[in-house]
């Protein structure tokens, strides 16, 4: 096991290095160093590449885990049927604050990602390759440099996306590449079909940055050697982002699929605490006992009651309130939504407020209201954001049932909220003022309970049984900023204030 320190996440390798090969020697691998470590990239035809992806059981590494071979074949068939050249898209956005694996690849091994994308692009005889990166991420500088360092027969462009949770959704990314607002489309469309769902209307193959890097490794090793590590149904290695309590930066771990989660936590100098969040903010919590026996694979996590997602691992230490931690994230998820449909505009803010009532001792009625709202938003949104957020809430209520009882029966568990679950990526931290985020506050010395604010901004403000406003504690969603300002301007008592969020 070796480690490499960088300005980004620390990198730890458990077992044979593949995606992290050479990172113990280089801070960032330029093209010459990349070739020295990995060797030349072989060329594949489209059928051979699809067969390779099938034999290594390659799935998307962004969280959905869709089989790559099926996705590739769908684009091949669509391009042939429509007689159009396809496009290739690398989703290197990482709006999930707990994840750093793609940022690590962009910053330190960008040519491995480009190898996989160009391997696909040349096999498909694609029109172009686009790499979507978050504004302010290492990819903004590292990826254009990597493109300039090599001569490609295919045009490659690097497109910046807003650093928001929903901007990495596949439809939002393609809309951003097409010059539109980077929000999920109002109806689900498949990128492989082209048309409104594709880049420039072309059949489009879109997958995660790690997926392309894994394909580049497999192309060099061959299917048999690639499958020499990991379980038969999920061979190869996985990249995990472990967020350690109190640490300034996360750790990215490359380990054989199926490695025990407890061993990964131990290698990072931490343990399961009172529970571990796996899969990110659309993921699930595991209690300490389940985490101790869970393997780091998709099937293994499912058997343990969790979800692998994008490989995010966040243990909760014993001295923080788990429900308070979850409440912070539910508020953040409500603010990060696209705000295009009812479940996001009304449902998630209501869910956050109801969850807050549980944390502050609202009794069993508050718990039932959370459960009701968590069911009501599922399957109703234009994208999967409401469903994933509801799953996160249900998982917190289930795994921390004892804490739920403590908060509903005794008005609290006695622990403070340490803000262990991050709401901004490791580099750079998002500036709330620059991001346009504000908090909406009530000056109770002035408020007379007119109730006008709830009529002007119903998605932000409700009224209690006495007619006084109830305002959520989290930042105002970007799409509700105008409503918040209108409520402030319309308040006859001048009791509403907008302020930048605190640290």
């Amino acid at each position: 096991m070796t480690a490499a320190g960088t300005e980004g996440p620390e990198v730890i390798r458990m077992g044979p290095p593949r995606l992290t090969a050479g990172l113990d020697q280089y801070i960032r691998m330029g093209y010459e160093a990349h070739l020295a470590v990995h060797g030349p990239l072989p060329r594949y035809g489209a059928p051979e590449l699809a067969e390779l992806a099938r034999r290594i059981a390659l799935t998307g590494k962004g969280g959905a885990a869709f089989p790559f071979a099926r996705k590739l074949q769908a684009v091949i068939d669509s391009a042939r049927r429509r007689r159009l050249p396809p496009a290739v898209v690398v989703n290197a956005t990482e709006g999930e604050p707990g994840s750093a694996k793609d940022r690590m690849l962009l910053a330190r091994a960008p040519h491995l990602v480009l190898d996989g994308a160009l391997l696909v692009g040349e096999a498909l005889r694609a029109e172009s390759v686009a790499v979507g990166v978050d504004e302010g991420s290492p990819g903004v500088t590292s990826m254009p440099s990597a493109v300039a360092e090599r001569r490609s027969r295919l045009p490659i462009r690097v497109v910046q996306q807003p650093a928001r949770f929903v901007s990495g959704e596949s439809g939002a990314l393609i809309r951003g590449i097409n010059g539109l607002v980077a929000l999920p489309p109002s109806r689900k469309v498949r990128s492989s079909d082209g048309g409104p769902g594709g880049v420039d209307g072309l059949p489009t193959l879109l997958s995660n940055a790690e997926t392309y890097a894994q394909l580049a490794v497999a192309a060099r090793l061959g299917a048999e050697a690639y499958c020499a590590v990991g379980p038969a149904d999920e061979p190869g290695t996985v990249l995990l982002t472990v967020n350690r309590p109190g640490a300034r930066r996360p750790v990215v771990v490359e380990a054989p699929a199926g490695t025990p989660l407890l061993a990964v936590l131990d290698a990072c100098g931490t343990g399961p605490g009172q529970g571990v969040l796996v899969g990110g903010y659309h993921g699930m919590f595991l209690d300490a006992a389940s985490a101790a026996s869970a393997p780091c694979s998709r099937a293994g996590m499912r058997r343990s009651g969790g979800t692998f997602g994008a490989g995010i691992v966040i243990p909760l230490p014993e001295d923080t309130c788990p429900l308070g931690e979850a409440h912070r994230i539910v508020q953040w998820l409500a603010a990060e939504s696209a705000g295009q449909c009812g479940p996001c505009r009304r449902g998630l803010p209501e869910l956050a407020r109801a969850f807050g009532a549980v944390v502050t001792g609202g009794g069993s009625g508050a718990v039932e209201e959370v459960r009701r709202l968590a069911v009501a938003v599922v399957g109703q949104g234009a994208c999967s954001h409401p469903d994933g957020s509801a799953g996160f809430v249900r998982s917190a209520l289930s795994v921390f049932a004892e804490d739920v009882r403590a908060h509903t029966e005794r008005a609290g568990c006695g622990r403070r909220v340490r803000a262990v679950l991050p709401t901004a990526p490791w580099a750079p931290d998002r500036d709330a003022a620059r991001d346009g985020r504000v908090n909406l506050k009530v000056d109770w010395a002035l408020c007379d309970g007119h109730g006008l604010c709830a009529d002007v901004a119903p998605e932000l403000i409700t009224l209690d049984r006495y007619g006084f406003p109830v305002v959520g504690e989290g930042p105002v969603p970007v799409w509700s900023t105008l409503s918040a300002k209108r409520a402030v301007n319309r308040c006859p008592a001048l009791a509403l204030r907008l302020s930048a969020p605190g640290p």
Side-chain angles (χ1 to χ4, degrees), residues 18 38 40-44 48-49 51-58 119 213-229 235-237:
R18 290 184 172 180
H38 292 285
L41 183 68
R43 298 185 68 179
Y44 282 73
E48 293 78 19
L49 196 60
E51 177 62 13
L52 174 67
R54 186 194 64 78
R55 289 185 63 191
I56 66 173
L58 181 63
L119 191 69
Q214 293 278 8
L215 187 65
V217 168
R220 289 178 166 94
L221 291 177
E224 185 175 348
Y226 183 91
C227 296
V229 300
T237 64

Side-chain angles (χ1 to χ4, degrees), residues 61 71 217 222 276 338 396 398 424 439:
K61 306 300 182 181
K71 187 180 291 188
V217 168
V276 181
S398 173
N439 280 347

Side-chain angles (χ1 to χ4, degrees), residues 37 135 148 213 264 282 337 394:
V37 170
E135 292 175 343
V264 172
H282 283 176
S337 79
R394 290 194 299 269

